[in-house]
Amino acid sequence: MQMFRTAPSETADGPRLRRVKRAMALLALACLTALIYLAALVATMPASALSDLATMPRQVTALYGTIWQGRADLIDGYRIDWDHRPGALLGLRLAADATLQGPDTLLRGTVRVTPWTISARDVTGRAGPGLLALADGLAIAGCNTRAIVDVPYIALARSWAAAEGRIDVEAGDCTQNNGRIDPVPAMTLTLGTRSNDATGRLTTGDTLLAEASVKGDHRLTLTLHPAGSALIPGLPTGAPITLDYPF
C-alpha cells in the first residue's frame, strides 16, 4: 500500500502570529525613524540655544555652530570644540570628539554619554597653568607649572567609577592670593581602578603626597599625607588628613 503525506492544515493562530510580527516590525521601524528624526532635529539646533535651556557657567562667553558640531568660547582665550559621532546613536549613546585649547593648553579626547554612564577616553595633550582661572574658589592667584596628560579612560556610572592613566606635573611656583610664592615639586598623578572605585595617587619621586578615590556610591575621599600637607602653608603635618565629599 502506497502512503501519501499530506501537509497539515494551517491553524487559526498562523495568520494571527504573522500579523503580530508584522505589527512589531512596523513599530520598530517607526521608533527608529523617530529616533533619526529627533537626532537630526537636535543636530541642527544652534549651540546658542543651550543658553536658553540652562544657565551657562561664567567661564562660557559665547557659543557657535550647532549642538552636533560647535564651539564654546571661554574666558582668557580658551575654547572647547566638539564634533559628534553619528554612528554612536545606534548604540543608544552620544559620543563627541572634543578639544580644549588655549594660550598654553591643548587637550584632545572623546566624551561618551549613555543613560547609565559618562566617560572620557584617550584624553591626551598638555595643560597650562592658565586653566586655573577656569576654576572657582581657588586661593591661588597663578602658577607657572605645566602638565602632560595621558588618560586612556575615566568613567562615572550609577554604581561604579573607573580610571586609567597618568598626569605629570612639572616643577614650578604658585603665587597665593596674599602674594606669597610657594615652590611646587615635580609630581605625578597615577589613576587606576580598585573594585567599583576610581583611584588616584599623587607622588613626587618615591614620596606619597596624597590619595583620592571616587567611590561607586558617589563619594570623593581625599587623603593628604604629611609630605603633601607640608606643601600647603598652615596645614598640620603630624598625621594624614582625610576629607570626604558626597556628590
Side-chain angles (χ1 to χ4, degrees):
M1 177 184 293
Q2 187 175 7
M3 303 294 295
F4 296 94
R5 180 177 296 176
T6 59
S9 59
E10 186 175 35
T11 65
D13 291 338
R16 185 181 307 164
L17 182 59
R18 286 198 299 271
R19 288 195 296 271
V20 171
K21 289 182 176 179
R22 189 178 300 114
M24 291 179 64
L26 291 174
L27 179 60
L29 179 61
C31 291
L32 179 59
T33 302
L35 180 62
I36 294 174
Y37 173 77
L38 181 61
L41 185 65
V42 172
T44 57
M45 183 180 297
S48 57
L50 292 175
S51 59
D52 298 327
L53 301 175
T55 301
M56 290 291 101
R58 69 162 185 89
Q59 293 85 348
V60 179
T61 60
L63 294 168
Y64 301 95
T66 65
I67 293 179
W68 199 260
Q69 184 180 40
R71 183 180 92 236
D73 283 351
L74 309 178
I75 60 176
D76 295 338
Y78 293 92
R79 58 185 278 187
I80 298 175
D81 297 270
W82 65 86
D83 186 5
H84 279 85
R85 296 181 177 182
L89 287 176
L90 299 178
L92 296 180
R93 66 177 184 268
L94 296 175
D97 297 321
T99 302
L100 170 61
Q101 58 185 311
D104 55 10
T105 296
L106 180 59
L107 293 172
R108 292 189 175 94
T110 301
V111 179
R112 298 184 181 182
V113 179
T114 75
W116 311 276
T117 309
I118 180 170
S119 65
R121 297 175 182 269
D122 301 324
V123 181
T124 59
R126 66 182 188 275
L131 288 179
L132 294 174
L134 300 181
D136 293 321
L138 294 180
I140 300 175
C143 295
N144 58 13
T145 58
R146 295 182 302 174
I148 302 300
V149 179
D150 184 9
V151 178
Y153 183 67
I154 185 168
L156 178 64
R158 293 179 179 177
S159 59
W160 57 267
E164 176 190 351
R166 63 183 287 165
I167 300 174
D168 294 306
V169 181
E170 299 176 351
D173 297 309
C174 284
T175 302
Q176 307 295 326
N177 287 334
N178 59 10
R180 173 172 175 164
I181 300 177
D182 296 312
V184 177
M187 299 179 293
T188 297
L189 176 62
T190 304
L191 304 177
T193 303
R194 182 175 61 243
S195 185
N196 290 329
D197 305 336
T199 63
R201 287 172 53 88
L202 183 65
T203 58
T204 177
D206 296 328
T207 303
L208 179 61
L209 301 176
E211 294 177 282
S213 63
V214 177
K215 300 184 179 298
D217 56 358
H218 287 202
R219 287 186 298 116
L220 169 64
T221 300
L222 174 64
T223 300
L224 196 61
H225 291 273
S229 299
L231 299 177
I232 304 176
L235 288 183
T237 59
I241 302 173
T242 299
L243 304 174
D244 193 272
Y245 301 96
F247 63 92

